[in-house]
Amino acid sequence: MASDERSPAERYRDSANNRRFPRTERFSAGVSFPLDEFQVDACRTMESGHGVLVCAPTGAGKTIVGEFAVYLALAEGRKCFYTTPIKALSNQKFNDLCDEHGEDQVGLLTGDTVINGEAPIVVMTTEVLRNMIYAGSYTLNNLGYVVMDEVHYLADRFRGAVWEEIMIELPPSVTVVSLSATVSNAEEFGAWLDSVRPVTKTVVSETRPVPLSQHMLVGNTLLDLFDDSQANRLNPGLTKKIARQQEREWRQHRRRRHVDRARVVERLDRSDLLPAIYFIFSRVGCDAAVEECVRSGIQLTTPSEAQAIRDYATAATAHIEPGDLHAVGFKRWVDGLAAGFAAHHAGLLPVFKEVVEALFERGEVKVVFATETLALGINMPARTVVLERLIKYDGTDHVMLTPGQYTQLTGRAGRRGIDVEGHAVTLWSPDIAPKQVAGLATKRTYPLDSSFAPSYNMAVNLIATAGLKRADAVLASSFAQYQSDAHAVHIAEKARALGRKVDQEAAGAECEKGDFLSYFELTKELSRLERAAQKKRKGQLRDAMKADMSGLKRGDIVWLGAGRRSGWAVYLEHTRPRRNRGAEAIFLTTDGRATAYALKRLTDVLVNGRMRVRKGFRRSNVDDRNELAAALREETSDKPRPTRRAGKSHDPKIDGLRKEIKRHPCHNCPDTGQHSYHASRWWKLRSERQNLQRKAQKRENSLARQFTNVRSVLMELDYLNVTGEGDVTVTDRGRLLRNLFNEADLLVAQCLHDGVWEGLEPPALAALASTVMYESRFEEEDFYVAAPGIIEEPLAATLRRYDTISRLERARGLELTSRPQRGIAWPMYRWASGEDLADALRSFEGPKAMPGGDFVRWTRRTLDLLHQVGEAARTIETDSAQKLAKSAFDAVDAMKRGVVADL
């Protein structure tokens, strides 16, 4: 608002705020656009000396608040750490801050990368900061501000706990600035932050900087999702168009619809809806989409743009060996870029993704086919976001997008300062109804739920640095326990409400003759025992059938009790178990059919006689089958249908209960029906209340119980020790474990302590280390050749230690350690031996061969582990351990080259 348009009161208020918050005023004056209200509010909160949680939509400008934290730190002569959940975001933020403040003022720490680590501004991944806190690093000295970007990532089930550890363990003198996507329980999260980092203010903005229009593409027609005349009402023209499209497809007998992505892109281009991010929840699908568009001949770039793209991509990858570029399909990739298309997913080389991001931001690449990983914080706004499907694979199953995920994905639509509005386009298909899309687009419930859980490394570090009491306090003050306690209170209140209803129904069941509720409980117990007895009899029948099945001989005449197809048959043979199918029994029925029955699905088989099956009988021969079927019909024409009966058994408990019920004074009550009605409701409500009480009790101190189980495993394996005073201390093994920050921390510590990995040369050690880090994306690892023979013995020893840990975890209800997988051991060995990327990737076989980007990602994770192994082995005072440390660091040096060394 211009100064001459403000009222005197508004001018006075603004002037007073400028005097009260001079740094906010100076900072905003240096920004090229006026700050939004939520940004000003958050900045003033920080200038007041308080922490802040900012929840705002994607693209709203939350990072301005983080940049103000950097500004304050520099103005105060203190340090600021800017943390992100992934290295790609850290690299991007590092470059941005270097451009703003100069390279001498900014550092980068991402585990395997250290640049200017003692700078006043340091960008890092959250894991690095957590590790620094546990290690008591001197780098924390003079730390004034920590920016936690993408803090909603604490819901991540694999790495989310790191955020909470940092929030709780950072010194009180540090101001924490938390930046989150829109969540519906921001106040709850903010209240927890305020309890662990006082004082923290919550600032929420639900206003998108650029309005979003929702559409569906039906065939080649683009229609609005909602009716302009009425908010949140589906467009009637859309439903009519879908009905006509379904009828057309039915007439064309389409069995499997194929999305013509090139045609979709052309439609978007005609409607002036480019640039677009086109989400396909499949890496293969993203790559295939680029290929389809290139093959179709679509050219979204001018000749000069195409040449500029080729020049930029070639310069950005000039440091990579030509053979490595060839191995990862460089020419194909550049051809797609030059036409205006690109894929963006975790299987690409990091430098390829960075080039795509830069070219898209410059407006030269017009369409990016991406997986959902692009939605995480990367600065790639578009005019349009396209969703091909509403179902994605979550690592376990194919599930529907949540409203929060839908909002996060479509949040990239609409470029601030460029577009009047953004566009979200969902492709219609028979399994995507407009109501589903409308539900995702209009629902405003995106809860942030904690994934915090104690790990082995966390346990030994907390106990070593602060003792058991402090460790318990950390867990008790976590957001996970905060939410759990809140849910427990809610559940307990529901249980109390049910208790009042239980009392009302009990009053309705009162009987003049006696205690009707006790009578009703006797009848319920009788029913339970009778059901159990019946189940036992059925089990006896099944056992008898299994015995008959195991003893079947060729020519046995049987009665098959298999529903409508039950009848007489003659047994021929068993088949061998096949992949994904168990063994089957083959019978010939009276109509001449030879049918295979899955053994586990046969409900009953009764043997009743035998007949001769002539030598040379072939069930594939129709005449042979008809001949045997005729003989079977003659043999069974007079046979009665056999039945199987289990022997009757008398249960003294059942007999006793029946007598007790008959003797009960309420047995002959004339009002039994009315009393039973109330007693039945009393029984049901009481069961519900008991169930709620158990749930509430389970939630109370749930993390404390889990922490107790973690400590129990560590004590069993001698990582923790209980002193005579009842305190818990960390042993030598525990001190070794403190240096290992990964999902396989305890397994690696066991192997290091027991010397399992000692004596290995760097390539073999790298191969072995990869087995505890790698997790296959497929159910079966059928795409690798083999692990190098040199690691077979230490791998077997590693697996034995895994089995021990797994057994201890199962006994305590824990699932913290994954089984080692050898899927990338051989290519990792070849890479660590100095072979080029093409040779390493040739180690994979079959259609599921690993993309180059995936191999680089797993190699970097293995590098992180090897570095930790080297540091941990140094603490073991034996010659063999020192040699292991050297081998680990030599492996790091050998592997950190080419595409792996690239930032």
Side-chain angles (χ1 to χ4, degrees):
M1 183 182 293
S3 59
D4 59 341
E5 294 178 353
R6 293 178 296 172
S7 68
E10 289 172 328
R11 286 199 298 270
Y12 177 80
R13 181 201 62 199
D14 291 345
S15 176
N17 282 333
N18 291 343
R19 292 193 301 272
R20 187 179 170 195
F21 303 106
R23 285 177 173 163
T24 299
E25 176 66 15
R26 286 195 294 271
F27 174 77
S28 60
V31 178
S32 60
F33 52 87
L35 297 186
D36 289 338
E37 184 179 344
F38 84 91
Q39 294 167 327
V40 173
D41 190 6
C43 291
R44 287 174 176 172
T45 297
M46 278 189 285
E47 190 170 354
S48 300
H50 305 317
V52 64
L53 165 66
V54 180
C55 296
T58 300
K62 296 184 291 293
T63 54
I64 283 291
V65 181
E67 288 165 10
F68 182 64
V70 173
Y71 176 87
L72 284 178
L74 293 175
E76 297 168 6
R78 304 172 75 190
K79 290 182 181 179
C80 178
F81 289 171
Y82 199 112
T83 73
T84 75
I86 58 176
K87 292 182 182 180
L89 283 180
S90 293
N91 295 338
Q92 186 180 77
K93 200 64 197 177
F94 171 71
N95 293 328
D96 292 345
L97 290 173
C98 282
D99 292 341
E100 178 70 21
H101 300 284
E103 293 182 2
D104 60 325
Q105 293 286 86
V106 186
L108 177 66
L109 298 174
T110 58
D112 61 345
T113 302
V114 178
I115 299 174
N116 200 14
E118 293 304 316
I121 310 165
V122 184
V123 183
M124 62 185 67
T125 51
T126 44
E127 282 88 350
V128 170
L129 178 53
R130 187 270 313 272
N131 299 351
M132 290 168 62
I133 292 171
Y134 281 152
S137 172
Y138 63 84
T139 305
L140 295 167
N141 294 342
N142 199 34
L143 178 63
Y145 295 86
V146 169
V147 179
M148 307 284 285
D149 203 356
E150 306 287 339
V151 76
H152 53 273
Y153 209 77
L154 66 79
D156 182 79
R157 64 192 180 103
F158 297 110
R159 299 165 55 205
V162 176
W163 273 256
E164 295 187 44
E165 292 178 70
I166 291 171
M167 299 285 195
I168 297 168
E169 289 296 280
L170 271 175
S173 59
V174 177
T175 299
V176 176
V177 180
S178 303
L179 309 179
S180 171
T182 305
V183 294
S184 57
N185 59 338
E187 287 75 16
E188 178 191 37
F189 183 46
W192 170 74
L193 274 174
D194 191 54
S195 71
V196 294
R197 306 222 50 89
V199 173
T200 299
K201 180 178 178 180
T202 301
V203 176
V204 177
S205 173
E206 296 185 1
T207 304
R208 282 180 51 92
V210 180
L212 180 67
S213 293
Q214 306 277 349
H215 314 277
M216 288 195 79
L217 184 62
V218 185
N220 203 34
T221 305
L222 189 67
L223 295 134
D224 290 339
L225 178 64
F226 296 112
D227 186 353
D228 288 338
S229 63
Q230 188 173 342
N232 296 340
R233 177 176 179 264
L234 284 176
N235 177 6
L238 173 62
T239 54
K240 291 177 182 177
K241 172 63 179 175
I242 288 175
R244 291 195 296 270
Q245 183 71 18
Q246 285 177 316
E247 184 179 354
R248 183 181 299 113
E249 292 192 0
W250 180 79
R251 285 200 303 267
Q252 294 172 351
H253 302 291
R254 289 195 189 180
R255 294 186 177 180
R256 184 174 182 178
R257 302 179 83 255
H258 171 71
V259 177
D260 189 337
R261 290 152 179 161
R263 190 178 180 190
V264 172
V265 169
E266 286 180 323
R267 182 66 179 83
L268 295 173
D269 191 23
R270 287 201 311 274
S271 300
D272 194 25
L273 293 178
L274 299 182
I277 298 173
Y278 189 129
F279 283 108
I280 302 173
F281 303 124
S282 158
R283 299 178 184 183
V284 174
C286 290
D287 293 335
V290 174
E291 293 286 338
E292 288 173 31
C293 291
V294 171
R295 282 199 310 269
S296 72
I298 301 174
Q299 189 75 29
L300 298 178
T301 56
T302 64
S304 60
E305 283 178 327
Q307 188 56 51
I309 288 171
R310 289 184 183 276
D311 292 343
Y312 183 88
T314 301
T317 56
H319 60 289
I320 302 176
E321 292 291 330
D324 289 354
L325 288 176
H326 177 73
V328 294
F330 176 77
K331 184 180 183 304
R332 242 184 4 258
W333 175 67
V334 172
D335 288 344
L337 287 175
F341 305 99
H344 190 289
H345 56 71
L348 291 177
L349 292 183
V351 67
F352 281 19
K353 286 192 287 186
E354 290 167 15
V355 168
V356 170
E357 292 160 15
L359 292 174
F360 190 78
E361 192 172 357
R362 284 164 44 164
E364 293 174 350
V365 166
K366 307 299 192 297
V367 178
V368 169
F369 297 97
T371 58
E372 71 276 12
T373 54
L374 185 144
L376 185 66
I378 296 170
N379 184 28
M380 285 181 65
R383 177 169 295 165
T384 303
V385 163
V386 180
L387 294 177
E388 186 168 288
R389 299 188 70 202
L390 298 180
I391 294 173
K392 64 182 285 288
Y393 186 68
D394 67 353
T396 305
D397 202 358
H398 288 87
V399 296
M400 187 79 173
L401 287 178
T402 66
Q405 290 167 339
Y406 180 88
T407 301
Q408 183 85 349
L409 295 170
T410 58
R412 299 215 161 269
R415 295 165 296 176
R416 192 169 190 169
I418 301 175
D419 298 318
V420 176
E421 63 178 350
H423 301 270
V425 178
T426 303
L427 305 191
W428 174 82
S429 68
D431 58 347
I432 297 180
K435 283 185 178 179
Q436 288 178 298
V437 184
L440 293 172
T442 58
K443 194 169 183 182
R444 290 293 175 262
T445 302
Y446 326 125
L448 178 64
D449 294 321
S450 172
S451 62
F452 184 86
S455 67
Y456 298 117
N457 174 275
M458 182 197 302
V460 293
N461 271 302
L462 285 174
I463 292 171
T465 55
L468 181 58
K469 287 185 178 179
R470 174 59 185 159
D472 286 335
V474 167
L475 294 172
S477 57
S478 67
F479 185 44
Q481 193 61 59
Y482 185 90
Q483 288 189 308
S484 189
D485 289 345
H487 289 151
V489 170
H490 178 65
I491 292 170
E493 179 54 41
K494 287 178 67 176
R496 284 192 291 272
L498 275 177
R500 293 189 287 271
K501 293 181 180 179
V502 168
D503 293 340
Q504 292 172 2
E505 297 300 339
E510 289 182 359
C511 177
E512 295 179 355
K513 292 182 174 290
D515 183 356
F516 193 87
L517 293 180
S518 67
Y519 173 75
F520 187 80
E521 286 184 305
L522 289 174
T523 62
K524 295 290 288 186
E525 177 64 8
L526 176 61
S527 297
R528 186 189 69 79
L529 290 175
E530 287 176 338
R531 286 195 302 272
Q534 184 181 21
K535 185 177 180 180
K536 183 179 179 181
R537 286 194 296 273
K538 288 182 177 179
Q540 291 171 342
L541 290 173
R542 283 195 301 271
D543 291 342
M545 187 199 79
K546 288 179 181 177
D548 282 355
M549 289 294 294
S550 63
L552 280 175
K553 297 177 182 177
R554 188 177 178 88
D556 279 346
I557 299 173
V558 301
W559 178 269
L560 289 176
R564 290 181 302 170
R565 299 179 67 180
S566 62
W568 292 109
V570 58
Y571 170 73
L572 298 177
E573 59 185 327
H574 273 59
T575 64
R576 291 182 179 179
R578 288 181 286 172
R579 187 176 181 181
N580 300 326
R581 298 182 69 176
E584 295 177 325
I586 298 176
F587 298 91
L588 182 82
T589 55
T590 53
D591 59 0
R593 295 180 184 177
T595 306
Y597 291 86
L599 296 183
K600 61 183 179 182
R601 293 191 177 180
L602 281 173
T603 56
D604 203 3
V605 174
L606 293 163
V607 179
N608 193 313
R610 296 202 68 199
M611 63 181 294
R612 180 177 175 274
V613 179
R614 67 176 177 78
K615 191 174 182 180
F617 170 83
R618 292 177 301 162
R619 56 185 170 90
S620 60
N621 185 286
V622 176
D623 292 336
D624 285 4
R625 292 202 308 271
N626 288 338
E627 179 185 344
L628 185 59
L632 175 64
R633 289 193 295 272
E634 183 177 350
E635 187 73 27
T636 58
S637 60
D638 298 328
K639 278 183 179 289
R641 173 179 173 175
T643 57
R644 190 193 306 278
R645 300 181 184 278
K648 291 185 178 180
S649 59
H650 294 284
D651 188 329
K653 286 185 180 180
I654 291 177
D655 294 341
L657 263 179
R658 286 172 176 160
K659 291 176 182 177
E660 189 175 353
I661 288 171
K662 287 181 179 180
R663 290 197 300 267
H664 197 283
C666 295
H667 185 61
N668 294 315
C669 176
D671 298 322
T672 295
Q674 181 183 353
H675 295 335
S676 293
Y677 169 79
H678 289 288
S680 177
R681 289 177 57 81
W682 166 82
W683 178 276
K684 181 181 178 182
L685 291 169
R686 188 184 67 163
S687 298
E688 290 179 11
R689 183 184 64 176
Q690 290 171 342
N691 187 41
L692 287 174
Q693 289 170 334
R694 284 192 294 270
K695 283 184 178 179
Q697 188 176 18
K698 187 176 180 180
R699 282 187 175 274
E700 291 174 355
N701 301 316
S702 55
L703 284 179
R705 287 193 296 273
Q706 192 171 353
F707 189 43
T708 299
N709 291 331
V710 167
R711 293 203 314 268
S712 175
V713 172
L714 291 172
M715 288 177 183
E716 182 90 13
L717 296 175
D718 194 30
Y719 288 84
L720 296 175
N721 181 49
V722 180
T723 65
E725 294 76 28
D727 198 7
V728 176
T729 59
V730 177
T731 65
D732 289 341
R733 283 194 178 201
R735 283 185 282 277
L736 176 69
L737 178 57
R738 289 191 65 191
N739 296 295
L740 300 168
F741 299 92
N742 57 76
E743 294 86 346
D745 49 9
L746 183 56
L747 176 58
V748 175
Q750 284 284 84
C751 292
L752 295 184
H753 183 274
D754 296 348
V756 169
W757 290 6
E758 292 176 359
L760 293 173
E761 294 299 314
L765 181 59
L768 189 56
S770 76
T771 66
V772 300
M773 294 305 300
Y774 176 65
E775 293 179 16
S776 172
R777 295 178 62 233
F778 310 107
E779 291 185 5
E780 296 183 10
E781 296 178 57
D782 56 359
F783 57 94
Y784 64 89
V785 180
I790 196 170
I791 75 162
E792 285 299 334
E793 187 175 335
L795 177 57
T798 301
L799 286 167
R800 287 195 293 272
R801 280 149 186 82
Y802 163 77
D803 290 339
T804 298
I805 294 170
S806 180
R807 174 176 52 79
L808 294 173
E809 288 182 348
R810 286 197 306 272
R812 293 161 177 80
L814 298 172
E815 293 183 19
L816 299 180
T817 309
S818 298
R819 183 179 181 82
Q821 297 183 26
R822 65 180 72 198
I824 59 169
W826 181 242
M828 197 67 67
Y829 181 89
R830 298 183 70 172
W831 180 257
S833 298
E835 297 188 25
D836 62 25
L837 183 62
D839 290 335
L841 293 179
R842 270 196 290 270
S843 303
F844 298 105
E845 287 185 338
K848 296 177 182 176
M850 181 174 285
D854 277 350
F855 178 69
V856 170
R857 182 164 55 90
W858 286 114
T859 302
R860 287 184 172 176
R861 292 194 64 184
T862 303
L863 276 171
D864 287 344
L865 175 58
L866 286 168
H867 186 80
Q868 293 174 31
V869 166
E871 294 291 346
R874 279 178 172 173
T875 67
I876 304 174
E877 297 178 356
T878 64
D879 290 342
S880 56
Q882 297 305 306
K883 290 178 181 177
L884 171 62
K886 183 179 184 306
S887 184
F889 291 127
D890 286 348
V892 170
D893 292 339
M895 297 165 68
K896 201 171 182 181
R897 57 188 171 85
V899 291
V900 174
D902 181 38
L903 283 180

